[in-house]
Structure formats: C-alpha cells, structure tokens
Amino acid sequence: QDSPAHFLQIWIMPDAQGHEPGYEQKHFSESEKRGKLRLVASREGRDGSVSLNQDVDLYAGLLSGDEVVRFEVRAGRDVWVHVARGTLSLNGQALAAGDGVAVTDASDLSFTGGNDAEILIFDMIQQN
C-alpha cells in the first residue's frame, strides 16, 4: 500500500492448443543477472528457468556503467528486446525504459552504457 509497484505483463502464445495450464514462480538474484544474461524461461525449463510451451528463450540482464553484454542471434531466430527500466545502448542505439526493439537481420547484439538498466531478451523461432 505504501510502495509503488512496477508490473510488466507478458503473454507468449503456446505452440499448440490443449496444454495443461501451469504456473511457476522463481526468483533470480541480482548476481545471476548483473552484467550478463540469465535464462529465466525456456521450453524445457533449462538451467533452472521456468518452463514454456513454446520455442522461446527468455533472458534477463542488469547493466550499469562499463558493463557490456553480448548476445549472439542464432540462424533462423528473431529477437525482441524490451527495456524494463533504465537506459542503455543496443549496437549504438540509445534505448530507455519501455522501449522495445524487434531484431530480424542481425547476428550479434551488444548492450553497453547501462544506467540502472534491466533488459529482457526474447529469442524466438522465426515466423514466416
């Protein structure tokens, strides 16, 4: 009641109808995301991430100061980047809280110049 909340609701459509509904909640520490990307959701729940019924890998990262995070876009994949808070640069382009970027024809992403930045990266199979 006395603290503001920052809420981000994300919908990822399942790969097929008829999946049993599920619910998972996990905490990922700041140290797991500081200056790097942490897999937080994936089809198989790899590496302690939550499970999805879709070919999507969701990463979270925190950047400030001189931290640099690189992400390699695999062939046949598209990427959506969402800046949840703060500011940073993606391949030299300035981004701020609330910005989103669709990446379709790049192989390497470089995140730099973070100022209390939190990013989400959605690594998805290309849709034709």
Side-chain angles (χ1 to χ4, degrees):
Q1 289 182 342
D2 55 346
S3 299
H6 183 190
F7 181 77
L8 179 62
Q9 185 173 14
I10 301 166
W11 290 84
I12 298 175
M13 297 298 292
D15 57 2
Q17 292 185 9
H19 289 292
E20 280 293 317
Y23 178 81
E24 290 181 74
Q25 182 174 327
K26 292 189 178 183
H27 172 77
F28 299 95
S29 69
E30 180 175 332
S31 64
E32 292 179 274
K33 300 177 287 183
R34 172 63 49 210
K36 57 190 166 196
L37 297 174
R38 170 62 161 104
L39 182 66
V40 296
S42 65
R43 179 186 292 279
E44 307 85 19
R46 292 188 325 275
D47 301 327
S49 65
V50 299
S51 299
L52 299 173
N53 289 313
Q54 184 54 271
D55 187 1
V56 174
D57 289 338
L58 172 57
Y59 297 87
L62 301 171
L63 287 91
S64 286
D66 294 335
E67 294 170 331
V68 176
V69 170
R70 289 185 168 66
F71 184 80
E72 182 178 334
V73 181
R74 297 176 286 157
R77 309 289 288 183
D78 286 332
V79 172
W80 177 264
V81 176
H82 181 81
V83 182
R85 67 181 160 99
T87 60
L88 67 130
S89 292
L90 166 57
N91 291 355
Q93 177 69 44
L95 300 174
D99 287 346
V101 177
V103 179
T104 57
D105 293 321
S107 58
D108 294 302
L109 305 180
S110 180
F111 299 90
T112 59
N115 181 9
D116 192 31
E118 182 171 11
I119 57 170
L120 298 173
I121 298 175
F122 298 81
D123 176 0
M124 307 168 281
I125 192 162
Q126 285 180 340
Q127 299 295 314
N128 295 331

